[in-house]
Amino acid sequence: MRTALSGLTTRGRCLLAAGFAAGVCAAVLNERDLLRVAAFVIALPLLAAWLATRARVGLHAARFLAPGRVPVGAAAEVKLDLRSTGRLPTGGLMLEDTVPYALGARPRFLVERLPRNTPTALRYPLKPVMRGIQQVGPLMARITDPFGLAEFDRELAGRSRLVVVPRVVRLAGLPGGSGMGAGDDGSVRLRAGQGEDDAIVRQYRQGDDLRKVHWRSTARRDELMVRVEERPWRGGTTVLLDHRVHAHRGSGPTASLEWAISFVASLCLHLHHFGHQVRLVSEDGRVLAGGSADGGHSDHVVLDSLAALQASHRRELSAGIDPGAGQEVVAVLGAVSPASVEELIRYRPRGMRSLAVLLDVNAWAGGSDASAPDPEDARRLLTGAGWGVVIARPSASMQQVWQELCASAGNRGPSVRSEVG
């Protein structure tokens, strides 16, 4: 009874109070007809609440997403299957499915009558505008009686997972004069020279073996340096994504970070198309995709990792390139300082092609952000160190940026056979 009374609406409570008042007046005045009216007025909201409670118990729903993975801008469909297993038919049912703002408006359905043991299907579309792991649900139902005297809320279905992957743009061609597509994956690459001068070194990190300290480089750089052990040359490409929040401008789908993620997704899938191994890393060296588990050739692993990627709060770009990996490098960078550029140059793999896409983040801010560094400064530093560089702006298409990057690679370094898609 307490549950039923808790579901009474304002109209139902007023009617119940009026019934009790009429009952008191009937007892005082000794009016049997008024007492009959009072009993009816009291019984009506209680009966309505009881019927709504019974209908609430017998409701069941299931949600189906088609498909479960969708790129930004594409359409998905949600199907809701409703069924009533109660003894009485359900009517006056208001349904609302919880949908994140990035997927559109919350759909609402009004079901006038839901027959017993007869499934009812409801459908509504989703068109995501932002990548991410989105949760659709829960599905809430508001059950009312025909007179509006009682209503109850109930969760009919929980949450469903929708993976919104970045938008992928089809690219064409490969950098000229690079090792991409040379078919050297899995071979062993030896150093060109011999002796200590040709050793590959990096900064000392806590836990490194002190026996690997390279004293000549330590004395020259005035900081502790250690030798990097010779590793098999795995070939392929390392794609470095700078996703620091301080390195990008804009918000929502038009932010420079979203452009960078979409470009990286397009690049990785484009290289996969040619059979290349791709190792996707963040600006701090964390491997996002392309580890030993997927062999560097899984489109789904790349897209899912980018869909779940959140902006990093690191201030400076650290070395995300393994100099012993023997892979070519394509770095997609936001706003970078000269110190970050020098860090990239220091850890550039020897004898391997290195390319960079510099985002003019001030252009994404509408040219009003005076704190954004000029990408031309980073371009001069990288170009002087042998990198192929292109500056990307929102006015240029991704295919145009990729073609300019391929052209910049063809003008640098040793001539090696390339493929054109």
Side-chain angles (χ1 to χ4, degrees), residues 321-340:
I321 304 172
D322 184 359
Q327 294 186 329
E328 299 201 358
V329 175
V330 180
V332 181
L333 309 173
V336 288
S337 64
S340 297

Side-chain angles (χ1 to χ4, degrees), residues 110 256 299:
L110 178 59
S256 61
D299 289 352

Side-chain angles (χ1 to χ4, degrees), residues 385-397:
W387 288 61
V389 183
V390 62
I391 296 178
R393 295 179 174 86
S395 57
S397 65

Side-chain angles (χ1 to χ4, degrees), residues 105-387:
R106 291 187 176 185
R108 293 183 178 181
F109 303 94
L110 178 59
V111 180
E112 295 290 346
R113 182 179 177 85
L114 188 63
R116 179 171 175 261
N117 290 327
T118 301
T120 300
L122 302 174
R123 290 179 172 85
Y124 67 90
L126 294 176
K127 191 169 184 179
V129 296
M130 279 286 291
R131 63 175 181 86
I133 308 299
Q134 306 289 353
Q135 298 293 334
V136 180
L139 175 64
M140 302 300 298
R142 175 164 293 181
I143 304 163
T144 62
D145 68 284
F147 302 104
L149 301 178
E151 63 180 17
F152 295 91
D153 291 333
R154 182 188 172 187
E155 180 179 322
L156 296 184
R159 291 177 172 85
S160 301
R161 183 171 179 263
L162 178 65
V163 180
V164 183
V165 300
R167 183 173 63 95
V168 175
V169 176
R170 186 172 183 179
L171 304 178
L174 288 175
S178 72
M180 295 180 177
D184 295 329
D185 290 355
S187 62
V188 177
R189 179 180 176 88
L190 300 177
R191 299 188 184 103
Q194 301 293 333
E196 292 293 320
D197 290 338
D198 292 322
I200 301 177
V201 296
R202 61 168 171 81
Q203 289 176 322
Y204 173 82
R205 299 171 185 170
Q206 186 174 3
D208 284 340
D209 190 349
L210 292 177
R211 292 174 296 180
K212 297 180 180 179
V213 173
H214 192 261
W215 298 108
R216 182 174 299 180
S217 298
T218 298
R220 182 164 58 254
R221 302 188 184 185
D222 197 23
E223 59 180 335
L224 203 58
M225 307 295 292
V226 296
R227 294 189 304 272
V228 178
E229 296 293 338
E230 189 66 70
R231 302 180 185 180
W233 183 41
R234 295 188 296 271
T237 305
T238 293
V239 178
L240 186 148
L241 172 61
D242 178 13
H243 62 102
R244 296 170 297 143
V245 66
H246 302 289
H248 292 276
R249 303 293 187 273
S251 61
T254 59
S256 61
L257 175 60
E258 297 304 318
W259 190 96
I261 291 176
S262 180
F263 181 80
V264 165
S266 305
L267 172 59
C268 291
L269 268 60
H270 178 63
L271 296 179
H272 284 169
H273 174 72
F274 287 94
H276 300 159
Q277 288 189 349
V278 177
R279 180 172 170 266
L280 177 60
V281 300
S282 63
E283 77 286 341
D284 58 355
R286 180 167 57 95
V287 178
L288 302 177
S292 58
D294 60 17
H297 287 82
S298 175
D299 289 352
H300 289 330
V301 171
V302 171
L303 292 176
D304 288 351
S305 64
L306 291 176
L309 187 66
Q310 300 294 325
S312 168
H313 292 281
R314 296 179 63 93
R315 282 285 180 179
E316 289 295 333
L317 188 72
S318 60
I321 304 172
D322 184 359
Q327 294 186 329
E328 299 201 358
V329 175
V330 180
V332 181
L333 309 173
V336 288
S337 64
S340 297
V341 174
E342 291 175 1
E343 187 81 3
L344 279 177
I345 295 173
R346 179 185 304 176
Y347 287 94
R348 176 194 181 193
R350 289 189 177 185
M352 303 302 296
R353 179 71 62 190
S354 298
L355 307 174
V357 177
L358 298 175
L359 273 67
D360 185 2
V361 296
N362 190 29
W364 267 271
S368 59
D369 192 348
S371 64
D374 188 354
E376 290 292 345
D377 297 335
R379 179 187 217 170
R380 285 191 291 269
L381 290 174
L382 289 171
T383 304
W387 288 61

